[in-house]
Amino acid sequence: MELQWDDLRIFLAVCDAGSLSGAARRLRVSQPTLSRRIAEMEYGLGEPLFVRKNLGISLTKAGQRLLPAVQGMAQWATEANRSLDAKTSSVSGRVRIAAIPSFAFDFLAPIAEKLKRKHPQITLEVLASTQRLNLSLGEADIALRRYPSNDPDLMTVEEVVVPIGAYASRDYARRLPAKYNFRDLDWIAWAGVGDFLNPHKNDDKNGR
């Protein structure tokens, strides 16, 4: 069977979404249409690609063999399009940046005006969401993430260290234990483990 790129895109979307319904929403097609396309693809290959479950899908051995090649094709297609765009146009067009809402407001909003003045033909589209988008498929151009990506096809181009401080009055600070962490502060709920804050290390800086 000669595999068609449109079918492979559907296969990859299902893999990324983890379910047929999620892939259908991402591709903006109906779930019956997507299911039919997957069934036709499996029929042509002569073996199933997915195991349907109540809470999603998992790959069969055939699907696992196919996935790396399709991921590579998606990345090459995206790079080819970007390469052509870079040679035939100036700095213009839409740049889609995926970021969690706090990053979108704190980091992207301040630079949007500067970017617009420097490159007026660029349209910055901020996808403020906790959903992870697939850069290889072109769902976003840049991703701001809190943690490094485990995807071997992606690379970190810049890292930003953001200082976070908890501020209180001197009277409140004096009521805290000699050694404390975020859990000891009345107004902060901290989900981490271990002592994250060593108050004695920065006593002079904190004015205590």
Side-chain angles (χ1 to χ4, degrees):
M1 175 184 179
E2 183 177 351
L3 298 174
Q4 301 297 318
W5 173 235
D6 286 345
D7 291 331
L8 295 177
R9 285 182 63 250
I10 291 175
F11 167 76
L12 190 56
V14 175
C15 293
D16 289 339
S19 68
L20 296 177
S21 58
R25 288 192 298 270
R26 180 173 297 185
L27 296 173
R28 297 181 180 180
V29 299
S30 67
Q31 185 171 336
T33 297
L34 185 140
S35 298
R36 176 180 55 79
R37 294 284 297 275
I38 290 293
E40 291 174 352
M41 187 177 178
E42 291 176 326
Y43 179 80
L45 291 172
E47 52 186 328
L49 297 171
F50 299 106
V51 177
R52 278 71 168 175
K53 299 179 179 180
N54 292 334
L55 299 178
I57 56 92
S58 63
L59 286 170
T60 62
K61 290 183 178 180
Q64 292 172 1
R65 293 196 305 269
L66 182 61
L67 179 59
V70 178
Q71 289 173 329
M73 291 175 64
Q75 183 178 2
W76 296 332
T78 300
E79 291 175 353
N81 289 330
R82 289 174 178 171
S83 176
L84 290 174
D85 290 341
K87 292 181 178 180
T88 59
S89 63
S90 58
V91 181
S92 62
R94 181 180 62 172
V95 178
R96 291 171 297 174
I97 303 180
I100 60 175
S102 59
F103 284 7
F105 291 119
D106 295 340
F107 294 103
L108 297 179
I111 70 171
E113 183 181 358
K114 296 180 181 179
L115 181 66
K116 190 66 175 178
R117 287 200 303 265
K118 187 174 182 180
H119 302 289
Q121 297 183 25
I122 286 182
T123 300
L124 187 64
E125 180 177 331
V126 180
L127 308 173
S129 171
T130 57
Q131 178 185 3
R132 278 180 172 260
L133 300 181
N134 192 311
L135 301 188
S136 298
L137 286 178
E139 294 178 344
D141 302 303
I142 301 171
L144 298 182
R145 294 180 176 173
R146 189 178 305 171
Y147 305 108
S149 173
N150 295 323
D151 189 339
D153 294 326
L154 301 181
M155 61 179 294
T156 300
V157 296
E158 186 60 87
E159 292 184 350
V160 178
V161 177
V162 182
I164 298 177
Y167 300 89
S169 67
R170 293 178 183 273
D171 289 341
Y172 181 85
R174 282 194 289 267
R175 296 198 300 270
L176 293 173
K179 293 183 179 181
Y180 63 87
N181 59 35
F182 282 154
R183 295 190 187 90
D184 297 311
L185 304 179
D186 294 336
W187 48 279
I188 290 182
W190 185 252
V193 295
D195 291 339
F196 196 76
L197 182 62
N198 182 352
H200 302 290
K201 183 176 181 180
N202 298 309
D203 279 352
D204 294 337
K205 295 181 180 179
N206 294 334
R208 292 185 57 208

